[in-house]
Amino acid sequence: MNSGKLKQADLLTDLTEEIVDVAEAHHWKFHVFNSAFPDNTFSKETVYDKLYGINFTPQNCETISIVFLSNGKMVCPARIHFFASSENSEEQSYIYSNSVKTQYAGIQTHQVIILFFRYLSNKYFDDFELSDESGYWETNDEEKMKKQFQIYNRLTDDFALAFETLPAKEGEDIFTYLERLMKNVNDLQ
């Protein structure tokens, strides 16, 4: 999960170009929205219909958004669709955070992404926060990151094994079946 804002409006072009360079070097798909704010300034109004920045997608990874509203705040484009018109302030706040699953991309890609965010946050972002389930962002500890990836991979493997070897019982609803599968996975631990 991450959130933040761009330090200065005139940094967006350089930020976008750097991300494009890295995405191309790694053969990651990307999409550039607008790469400059009008007159290189942030708007005082919050406008949801025009986005600035870039999305990129490392192989076997969810799309990573480094996208901003006209006010310079980082947003999740998909969440704008769901929560921009909400009158609930808590739901509105969801717009300003992103989350990405990197588990299936692997340890090396995860590490590259974290190091890249560390570089970008120092150069381009204010009030930037990132929460990393592997602990690598917070600790820079490669061994801790590897152990966490092993735990997630083992859980995924155990669940797949339980799913393959324990079919649903006749008349068993989906919730009861999933509870039984999870109990089996927990027993394997």
Side-chain angles (χ1 to χ4, degrees), residues 2-9 12 37 42-48 50-53 65-77 80 92-93 95-98 125-128:
N2 68 19
S3 63
K5 63 182 273 185
L6 196 59
K7 285 181 181 181
Q8 298 169 205
L12 182 62
F37 291 99
F42 297 132
S43 169
K44 293 192 186 321
E45 294 180 42
T46 302
V47 179
Y48 296 111
K50 194 161 188 179
L51 300 177
Y52 302 86
S65 295
I66 302 182
V67 177
F68 307 90
L69 292 179
S70 58
N71 61 9
K73 291 184 179 180
M74 189 178 287
V75 293
C76 174
I80 289 173
Q92 277 267 323
S93 72
I95 293 169
Y96 298 102
S97 64
N98 287 285
F125 304 145
D126 275 336
D127 303 322
F128 184 76

Side-chain angles (χ1 to χ4, degrees), residues 5-186:
K5 63 182 273 185
L6 196 59
K7 285 181 181 181
Q8 298 169 205
D10 62 351
L11 292 174
L12 182 62
T13 301
D14 291 342
L15 168 66
T16 303
E17 288 174 0
E18 283 201 61
I19 295 170
V20 166
D21 288 345
V22 170
E24 287 177 340
H26 288 280
H27 307 287
W28 296 340
K29 294 179 182 177
F30 62 90
H31 170 76
V32 176
F33 292 90
N34 294 289
S35 60
F37 291 99
D39 299 322
N40 278 327
T41 59
F42 297 132
S43 169
K44 293 192 186 321
E45 294 180 42
T46 302
V47 179
Y48 296 111
D49 61 350
K50 194 161 188 179
L51 300 177
Y52 302 86
I54 185 170
N55 282 343
F56 61 96
T57 310
Q59 190 140 2
N60 299 319
C61 185
E62 291 180 346
T63 298
I64 298 170
S65 295
I66 302 182
V67 177
F68 307 90
L69 292 179
S70 58
N71 61 9
K73 291 184 179 180
M74 189 178 287
V75 293
C76 174
R79 292 180 183 174
I80 289 173
H81 175 75
F82 292 109
F83 301 112
S85 61
S86 174
E87 294 181 18
N88 180 309
S89 61
E90 183 178 349
E91 287 180 353
Q92 277 267 323
S93 72
Y94 298 155
I95 293 169
Y96 298 102
S97 64
N98 287 285
S99 58
V100 177
K101 181 175 258 335
T102 61
Q103 175 187 354
Y104 300 114
I107 292 172
Q108 287 180 323
T109 299
H110 179 81
Q111 188 173 27
V112 166
I113 291 167
I114 294 297
L115 293 173
F116 190 40
F117 265 106
R118 190 168 283 126
Y119 165 77
L120 293 174
S121 70
N122 288 327
K123 187 170 182 180
Y124 295 107
F125 304 145
D126 275 336
D127 303 322
F128 184 76
E129 294 180 18
L130 192 144
S131 175
D132 175 14
E133 289 181 0
S134 79
Y136 188 61
W137 170 263
E138 295 83 357
T139 65
N140 215 26
D141 184 337
E142 288 184 39
E143 289 306 311
K144 182 176 182 176
M145 175 184 61
K146 289 175 184 176
K147 285 179 185 174
Q148 192 61 45
F149 265 79
Q150 289 171 348
I151 289 168
Y152 287 140
N153 290 339
R154 191 170 358 124
L155 281 171
T156 302
D157 292 346
D158 289 350
F159 187 77
L161 177 63
F163 190 72
E164 290 172 7
T165 59
L166 296 171
K169 295 178 181 176
E170 189 174 326
E172 186 174 38
D173 67 55
I174 188 69
F175 297 110
T176 305
Y177 176 56
L178 289 175
E179 281 180 9
R180 189 164 54 88
L181 285 179
M182 290 310 298
K183 181 182 180 327
N184 185 273
V185 168
N186 288 334

